């Protein structure tokens, strides 16, 4: 498997969304994060920078078994959540990796709150409206927070000048 094959496989799974985050990382979510979706896999497109090609949720049952395999390590920052990282694409054979990724998606879906599952069960057009509204609301909230932070910094500067 490689990054492109992993991406194609992950995008075919139900309710999976993809984002580009934290540099050159493709992050795969069960549902859009705007409506409470959770990430379950990450593909690193800049392999040399991080010395791992992919990370995913393995679950407590498989985590310890997988990290005993050559080329599979506890995922940095995410090991406490039972995520593993592959140091190279051939660390796990293709079919087995597909099964593990499908399981990661399914485990993550099962942990979603009912409210999020209900949103993901909406007809596609309604779900898209909801996602758009949530994104707009989140952007407005971020804008207000940034303005408040700027105002506080400005007030602090004025106080310091006195």
């Amino acid at each position: 498997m490689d990054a492109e094959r992993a991406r194609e496989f992950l995008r075919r799974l139900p309710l999976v969304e993809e984002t580009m985050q934290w540099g050159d990382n493709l992050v795969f979510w069960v549902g859009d994060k705007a409506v409470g979706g959770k990430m379950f896999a990450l593909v690193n497109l800049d392999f040399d920078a991080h010395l791992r090609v992919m990370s995913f949720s393995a679950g407590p049952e498989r985590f310890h078994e997988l990290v005993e395999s050559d080329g599979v390590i506890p995922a940095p920052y995410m090991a406490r959540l039972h995520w593993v990282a592959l140091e190279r694409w051939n660390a796990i054979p293709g079919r087995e990796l597909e099964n593990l990724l499908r399981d990661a998606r399914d485990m993550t879906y099962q942990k979603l709150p009912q409210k999020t599952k209900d949103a993901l069960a909406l007809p596609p057009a309604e779900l898209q409206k909801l996602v758009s509204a949530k994104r707009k609301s989140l952007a407005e909230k971020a804008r207000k927070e940034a303005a408040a932070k700027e105002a506080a910094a400005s007030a602090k500067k004025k106080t310091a000048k006195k």
Side-chain angles (χ1 to χ4, degrees):
M1 188 171 286
D2 59 22
E4 192 56 38
R5 282 194 51 217
R7 181 176 187 243
E8 288 173 15
F9 173 76
L10 290 164
R11 290 173 53 115
R12 286 194 308 262
L13 295 175
L15 302 172
V16 170
E17 297 291 331
E18 171 189 338
T19 61
M20 178 76 85
Q21 291 184 230
W22 308 303
D24 290 332
N25 292 295
L26 292 176
V27 181
F28 295 90
W29 304 76
V30 178
D32 193 288
K33 67 181 179 176
V35 293
K38 301 289 183 196
M39 68 178 189
F40 70 96
L42 180 144
V43 174
N44 181 1
L45 300 177
D46 186 17
F47 172 69
D48 291 335
H50 303 289
L51 302 175
R52 63 186 189 283
V53 296
M54 171 182 252
S55 301
F56 60 91
S57 176
E61 296 82 26
R62 298 293 312 268
F63 176 81
H64 296 289
E65 173 189 338
L66 289 169
V67 296
E68 290 179 13
S69 303
D70 185 41
V72 181
I73 62 171
Y77 311 107
M78 299 292 281
R80 64 186 169 80
L81 300 173
H82 303 106
W83 277 54
V84 296
L86 305 183
E87 296 179 308
R88 60 184 186 281
W89 284 109
N90 64 355
I92 298 175
R95 289 286 179 221
E96 183 181 350
L97 181 55
E98 287 179 357
N99 288 334
L100 289 167
L101 293 171
R102 190 178 293 108
D103 289 347
R105 181 250 170 242
D106 293 347
M107 281 188 300
T108 303
Y109 177 82
Q110 291 304 319
K111 293 178 184 177
L112 292 175
Q114 190 60 47
K115 181 179 175 182
T116 302
K117 289 179 184 178
D118 291 345
L120 296 176
L122 291 171
E126 286 184 49
L127 177 58
Q128 190 53 47
K129 279 183 183 178
L130 178 61
V131 167
S132 294
K134 289 282 191 172
R135 285 184 181 165
K136 185 176 180 180
S137 173
L138 290 170
E140 180 63 20
K141 181 180 177 184
R143 187 193 63 73
K144 286 180 180 178
E145 288 174 358
K149 193 180 242 185
E150 180 64 31
S154 179
K156 188 175 182 180
K157 283 183 184 179
K158 285 180 184 178
T159 304
K161 286 182 180 180
K162 291 182 179 181

